[in-house]
Amino acid sequence: MNRAVTPEGPKPRTISASRIAIYVFLGVSAGFFLLPVYVMIITSLKPMAEIRTGNLFAFPKELTFDAWAKAWSSACTGRVCKGISPGMLNSFKIAIPGTLFPVILGAINGYALSFWRFRGANLVFTLLLVSTFVPIQVFIFPLVRMMTSTGLFGTLPGIILIHTGFTLPITTLLFRNFYAAVPEEMFSAARIDGGGFWSIFAYVLLPISTPIVIVAVILQFTGSWNDYLFSLIFAGRPNQPITVLLTSIVTSQYGEKEYNVNMAATMLAAMVPLLVYFASGRWFVRGISDGALKG
């Protein structure tokens, strides 16, 4: 595995025009992406009376967290006024197994395609790559028919199965490229010592796979958590995740649009993937540089 290279030599004492241009560009880019987040946060902290004045970018004069409490426990989503907490629970029920299964299966597939070459392995890998470029909308109608005929339409196992099937090619590609950078001698030595398929995978490759496992977990978890199309079609009303419920928080029970509640609910839904990124960002960058772009 390649290690990060520490820059050598003295730091530049003068700031060149190109460096200033880079800083300006980065600052403008960061402001462009952070401005909507700022608007969402300050709007969620304002009462509706202040929001009606139209000062979109003004800091709250009266700071309140009532919108956050209402978004969590009593906001109306359709005819049900239980907040977004049921949707958050459903999102965890979908995202956790919808992450574990593709990552585990992708690691096994990538390992097999890297070291246990079988007849037609290149064809299988090519088909996996091609499948990643097919628009998912093409599969919706056939999937509806298949899921209905098998009794999985509108069920939790059904939506988890769909997430697993559609992201398995990506996780396989990630692990295959990562394992392709592992020296062949390590695998050969394990075979000479009597290691089999599963023992080599468990005791030789998995211990060095932490970076790419974290990359795959982050990509898969955020993809499952943020999914809207598949959840809207296949999850069913009892299993609707947070992404679907957010579109239902449009008015209060009195018919008033509560923008602060909408913004608070959106921020609560976004906090989970953000925490995942912040907690494992260093490993994510390392895993990308070590394996995801190689092979």
Side-chain angles (χ1 to χ4, degrees):
M1 300 297 171
N2 296 331
R3 297 182 177 272
V5 179
T6 303
E8 298 180 357
K11 295 182 179 180
R13 297 182 179 180
T14 59
I15 300 179
S16 61
S18 60
R19 184 176 293 271
I20 294 176
I22 292 174
Y23 288 154
V24 171
F25 173 76
L26 292 176
V28 172
S29 301
F32 177 79
F33 287 105
L34 292 177
L35 184 60
V37 179
Y38 167 77
V39 172
M40 292 172 61
I41 293 176
I42 63 172
T43 302
S44 68
L45 299 176
K46 294 178 181 179
M48 281 301 301
E50 187 176 346
I51 293 175
R52 294 191 193 96
T53 61
N55 295 325
L56 183 64
F57 300 101
F59 198 77
K61 297 179 182 179
E62 181 184 346
L63 197 65
T64 174
F65 290 91
D66 292 343
W68 290 70
K70 183 173 183 179
W72 178 257
S73 60
S74 60
C76 297
T77 55
R79 297 182 178 180
V80 181
C81 297
K82 296 182 180 180
I84 64 170
S85 53
M88 293 281 281
L89 180 59
N90 288 335
S91 291
F92 278 111
K93 290 180 180 179
I94 295 172
I96 292 177
T99 298
L100 293 178
F101 293 149
V103 171
I104 294 173
L105 295 176
I108 296 173
N109 289 344
Y111 163 61
L113 290 172
S114 298
F115 295 107
W116 297 84
R117 293 299 182 93
F118 52 90
R119 195 172 188 179
N122 291 332
L123 176 61
V124 171
F125 184 65
T126 301
L127 292 176
L128 287 173
L129 289 179
V130 171
S131 65
T132 61
F133 297 98
V134 180
I136 59 177
Q137 291 81 0
V138 175
F139 300 100
I140 290 179
F141 181 72
L143 280 174
V144 170
R145 298 296 302 271
M146 291 172 55
M147 302 295 280
T148 303
S149 62
T150 56
L152 293 175
F153 185 82
T155 65
L156 194 61
I159 185 64
I160 294 173
L161 181 62
I162 287 178
H163 280 299
T164 301
F166 271 90
T167 56
L168 188 57
I170 295 296
T171 55
T172 299
L173 175 63
L174 288 174
F175 281 97
R176 186 263 181 189
N177 288 349
F178 184 84
Y179 292 144
V182 176
E184 183 75 24
E185 293 77 9
M186 181 183 297
F187 174 75
S188 300
R191 289 292 305 276
I192 293 174
D193 290 339
F197 182 92
W198 294 110
S199 59
I200 296 176
F201 178 66
Y203 298 109
V204 178
L205 291 182
L206 274 186
I208 63 174
S209 302
T210 301
I212 200 63
V213 167
I214 293 178
V215 170
V217 167
I218 290 177
L219 292 177
Q220 182 58 30
F221 182 84
T222 54
S224 298
W225 185 273
N226 296 327
D227 171 66
Y228 175 77
L229 181 61
F230 285 146
S231 298
L232 178 66
I233 298 174
F234 297 102
R237 177 63 186 177
N239 306 309
Q240 284 184 346
I242 184 63
T243 51
V244 178
L245 287 184
L246 285 177
T247 61
S248 303
I249 307 177
V250 291
T251 61
S252 68
Q253 58 183 341
Y254 303 108
E256 178 188 31
K257 291 185 178 180
E258 298 180 310
Y259 300 106
N260 51 357
V261 176
N262 291 342
M263 297 300 181
T266 303
M267 291 302 301
L268 285 170
M271 278 185 178
V272 175
L274 284 176
L275 289 175
V276 172
Y277 272 116
F278 289 147
S280 53
R282 178 174 62 91
W283 289 99
F284 181 81
V285 174
R286 179 182 170 185
I288 288 291
S289 61
D290 282 352
L293 300 179
K294 298 178 182 179

